[in-house]
Amino acid sequence: MFSVKLGDILDVQSGYAFKTEFFSNTAGIPLIRIRDLPNARTETNYRGEFREDFIVYQGDYLIGMDGNFRCYRWQGPKALLNQRVCRLRNFQPNVEPEFIYYGVQKKLHEIEDNTSFATVKHISARQIQNIKMPLPPIEEQSRIVEVLSRAEGIIRLRREAHKKAAEIIPALFLDMFGDPARNPRGWPIFHLSDIAEIVSGVTKGRKFSGRRTTTAPYLRVANVQAGFFDLSEIKEIEVLPSDVKRLALQHGDILLTEGGDYDKLGRGALWNYDIPNCIHQNHIFRVRLKRSLALPEFFVTYLQTLHARNYFLQSAKRTTNLASINMTQLRGLPVVLPPLDAQSEFQKQFERLNSVRTQQDAAIKKAQDLFGALLAHLWAIG
């Protein structure tokens, strides 16, 4: 068994710096930017001239060169390879492309962890070319790919089942309470500040001038998804003990992101995890409800309604493809509030359905652990 550099067995093609003056929201060919990679969906088109050498097709292997370093199989439409995205191509005959796709993920993660940054991490095409991987015979590569593909398929099916279960709760909400935009039952409307305490979190990189500090686990924007938490990676931050005392999360707290892509603006999730002294960063708001007025299960589902989504979109500060809300706008969120007994009935159904999602979470984790063990074996053979 021997290891090879990627640059010796394939080509790393860097994207082209297409002129922004020819960007369009409608006309032209789709343009792949880094944020498009995870969802295989483009938001920008290009209506200028281009070389066919920069056309990306389904199944091509792409790596985002800023932020989180990961290799993606492109599943979106035919599109152009923009700058800061690179493509792995022209694999040698003794190389199974899927073997490289699976194996390179670990090395990209290591590079990301060891890359210093001020705002955003960057990786170069040369760094990718210099990645070393074990390269068994082509027959062994194909066998490993088959096993990993099956494991990946199990994870995908588990996630699809999880997504379907998650869609039931918002549907139940509308069935029980109606559309809050129309408020058909004439329930009272409160501002969020009337029914909850709202606080922002800690800022990373503060100077403490010799004061005694401690470290605490903290949640980043990436941890807070729409209706659930992604706790696959929780980092620690240096803070004052008073920060921990003030911000330590409690069961029933709801966390909302202040910004991001339009479809992710103000996404919120209900905290019911046992991570001692866990706090949150300043790009996340913590909402702690007055339980005599509103229940967390009701409110976190309310955030997923079109009524709440439209409020955030209309109130938000917008840039080209991003939007953000501030504390004042969040405090002003109108909340249609049913009686507490109706919320309590919804809470029971929420908890029953959420237990199913918890079981599915455990199944997803088990499948991911299996997948990780198989990847570790891939590197052990080298």
Side-chain angles (χ1 to χ4, degrees), residues 169-170 172-173 176-177 227 250-254 268-272 287 289-291 293-305 337-338 340 342-355 357:
I169 294 177
L172 175 65
F173 181 97
M176 291 183 64
F177 305 117
Q250 300 177 9
H251 279 234
D253 284 344
I254 294 166
L270 174 60
W271 182 258
N272 278 324
V287 175
L289 295 163
K290 299 174 183 177
R291 302 293 182 90
L293 295 173
L295 299 181
E297 294 81 3
F298 167 84
F299 180 67
V300 76
T301 312
Y302 183 87
L303 289 173
Q304 299 180 51
T305 65
L337 209 58
L340 205 59
Q343 295 183 50
S344 296
E345 182 58 34
F346 176 78
Q347 179 188 48
K348 294 175 185 176
Q349 299 299 326
F350 181 101
E351 291 174 345
R352 179 178 62 82
L353 293 168
N354 209 45
S355 68
R357 293 176 61 186

Side-chain angles (χ1 to χ4, degrees), residues 87-105:
R87 168 167 51 184
L88 307 184
R89 65 176 187 171
N90 297 335
F91 296 83
Q92 290 190 357
N94 65 329
V95 177
E96 166 60 59
E98 284 285 282
F99 179 82
I100 302 299
Y101 164 76
Y102 286 119
V104 77
Q105 308 290 7

Side-chain angles (χ1 to χ4, degrees), residues 173-174 177-184 189 302 305-308 334-336:
F173 181 97
L174 292 177
F177 305 117
D179 181 359
R182 294 186 296 108
N183 190 13
I189 301 174
Y302 183 87
T305 65
L306 187 60
H307 180 58
V335 182
V336 177

Side-chain angles (χ1 to χ4, degrees), residues 317-329:
K317 175 184 177 182
R318 301 192 186 196
T319 58
T320 304
N321 289 297
L322 300 175
S324 63
I325 55 173
N326 58 35
M327 176 72 77
T328 300
Q329 292 161 340

Side-chain angles (χ1 to χ4, degrees), residues 142-170:
S142 298
R143 187 190 68 80
I144 292 173
V145 165
E146 182 180 2
V147 174
L148 290 172
S149 180
R150 289 179 182 175
E152 188 179 48
I154 292 172
I155 294 173
R156 183 171 58 253
L157 290 174
R158 297 289 191 190
R159 285 176 174 165
E160 289 173 357
H162 184 279
K163 181 181 179 181
K164 289 179 180 178
E167 292 171 350
I168 296 175
I169 294 177

Side-chain angles (χ1 to χ4, degrees), residues 189-198 256 285 287 299 302-303 307-308 310-312 314-316 325-336:
I189 301 174
F190 295 81
H191 289 134
L192 183 57
S193 58
D194 297 327
I195 63 172
E197 173 196 59
I198 308 166
L256 291 91
F285 300 110
V287 175
F299 180 67
Y302 183 87
L303 289 173
H307 180 58
N310 284 339
Y311 171 81
F312 288 133
Q314 292 167 7
S315 304
I325 55 173
N326 58 35
M327 176 72 77
T328 300
Q329 292 161 340
L330 180 57
R331 287 171 61 87
L333 171 69
V335 182
V336 177

Side-chain angles (χ1 to χ4, degrees), residues 69 106-117 121-122 127:
F69 307 150
K106 178 176 182 293
K107 282 297 184 180
L108 289 173
H109 186 71
E110 290 176 357
I111 293 172
E112 179 184 342
D113 285 345
N114 294 320
T115 300
S116 60
F117 67 103
K121 295 186 178 184
H122 305 283
Q127 284 176 287

